[in-house]
Amino acid sequence: MAFVIDGKEAAASVISAVTAASASLKERTGIAPGLAVVIVGNDPASHAYVNSKGKMAKQCGFNSIQHTLPEETTQEDLQALVDTLNADPAVHGILVQLPLPKHFDSDVIIQSILPQKDVDGLSIANAGKIATGDLETGLISCTPAGAMLLVKRVHGEDLSGLNAVVIGRSNLFGKPMGLLLLAANATVTMAHSRTKDLASVCRNADILVAAVGRAEMVRRDWVKPGATVIDVGINRVPAPEKGEGKTKLVGDVAFAEASEVAKSITPVPGGVGPMTIAMLMANTVIAAHRACSLSVPKF
């Protein structure tokens, strides 16, 4: 059976380092990292995410600011708030919780966040830095950064000689993940819904990353014996064994059967998920150090 990569334990390690870096920054400068989170509307899942981010920010010693706006907020009003946060020197990180209600042009809002405060790593400037191999001066998108940290826990910093396959080419995850693997010297294949004979492409992977949003799509015979499998999917499926109408979370990988052939695998939940919020905290403390012209901590 595969070694199960513990995302909770890895995330706790990052949070511990972030908390220490935050305390050191405050001791040296009197400044606490400032994270502003903006949420619009009443989506329960979004509110749960935002609450957990705020709680974690306080745990890390940050100045945690939350702006909760009603559903009927206009594009102009939201833009004005982002502009105000951009101009506030006490705010080092800005996060606008997605998805926004349908009447917003989300991309315009996200791209208006200053790149140095874009702790979600979604701006064109930050994406471009990853694409050009600059991993030192931008902010890396949180979920791929967290997934990459888990890969490096298994394989170390240098992935030379290893074949990596990423299933999924989204701007949010697939593309930056492929570029991070490439920067670590892996030979990378980007696979997606139009890839011919996807299973055989996956069987070539020493590192297989699944991010397609299809429950348990990756089966045992897709996985190369001895591979590392990183499952980024979060899918809610019926769980009649728990009782009528009950559901459970599963990934994009059929965990039980893939575990029989993989060497290492992330579970869902408890794998990549906890890393996302940990890397958000890491990006905020990095942004705060840069704003103070101090050397940036490594995570």
Side-chain angles (χ1 to χ4, degrees):
M1 289 295 288
F3 168 73
V4 178
I5 303 166
D6 189 343
K8 290 181 183 175
E9 186 271 327
S13 174
V14 171
I15 292 298
S16 176
V18 167
T19 305
S22 175
S24 171
L25 180 71
K26 189 157 191 184
E27 189 178 312
R28 292 167 70 184
T29 66
I31 294 169
L35 176 62
V37 181
V38 179
I39 182 167
V40 184
N42 307 308
D43 181 65
S46 289
H47 276 273
Y49 284 134
V50 164
N51 290 339
S52 64
K53 287 167 184 172
K55 186 177 175 184
M56 187 65 77
K58 287 174 184 165
Q59 183 184 319
C60 291
F62 294 179
N63 175 25
S64 177
I65 307 144
Q66 183 172 326
H67 293 273
T68 304
L69 305 179
E71 184 96 17
E72 58 273 16
T73 299
T74 65
Q75 179 94 10
E76 292 72 25
D77 286 344
L78 179 56
Q79 187 64 66
L81 174 58
V82 170
D83 293 343
T84 301
L85 295 172
N86 275 335
D88 186 346
V91 173
H92 304 106
I94 302 169
L95 184 151
V96 176
Q97 182 66 39
L98 299 175
L100 287 169
K102 288 186 169 55
H103 64 278
F104 285 97
D105 187 330
S106 299
D107 196 53
V108 168
I109 296 293
I110 296 303
Q111 298 306 328
S112 72
I113 298 170
L114 288 175
Q116 62 267 35
K117 296 190 178 191
D118 165 38
V119 286
D120 249 347
L122 301 180
S123 73
I124 289 170
N126 282 322
K129 287 188 175 188
I130 301 173
T132 54
D134 175 6
L135 306 185
E136 299 303 319
T137 67
L139 292 166
I140 299 171
S141 184
C142 301
T143 305
M148 195 66 200
L149 194 147
L150 297 181
V151 169
K152 289 183 174 181
R153 281 194 148 210
V154 176
H155 293 282
E157 293 290 321
D158 187 3
L159 306 181
S160 295
L162 296 175
N163 290 323
V165 172
V166 180
I167 317 171
R169 54 179 168 177
S170 69
N171 291 331
L172 287 174
F173 181 84
K175 288 175 186 172
M177 186 70 201
L179 290 165
L180 291 174
L181 288 161
L182 194 62
N185 301 321
T187 300
V188 181
T189 301
M190 299 294 298
H192 46 81
S193 59
R194 305 291 177 89
T195 299
K196 188 177 179 182
D197 198 0
L198 182 55
S200 71
V201 172
C202 293
R203 277 194 290 274
N204 192 42
D206 302 300
I207 301 166
L208 178 60
V209 184
V212 286
R214 289 182 58 188
E216 300 184 325
M217 183 182 86
V218 177
R219 313 305 300 192
R220 174 194 172 112
D221 64 349
W222 292 34
V223 179
K224 179 181 180 179
T228 295
V229 179
I230 305 293
D231 189 351
V232 188
I234 301 177
N235 310 283
R236 193 165 285 283
V237 299
E241 70 276 9
K242 291 184 174 183
E244 192 176 342
K246 297 288 187 181
T247 61
K248 63 182 178 182
L249 289 178
V250 299
D252 290 348
V253 177
F255 181 83
E257 56 186 78
S259 298
E260 294 174 358
V261 287
K263 187 173 183 181
S264 306
I265 189 168
T266 60
V268 176
V272 174
M275 296 302 299
T276 300
I277 194 165
M279 300 317 289
L280 172 66
M281 300 301 135
N283 274 350
T284 304
V285 89
I286 286 167
H289 276 72
R290 286 180 181 153
C292 296
S293 300
L294 295 172
S295 59
V296 173
K298 296 281 187 185
F299 300 103

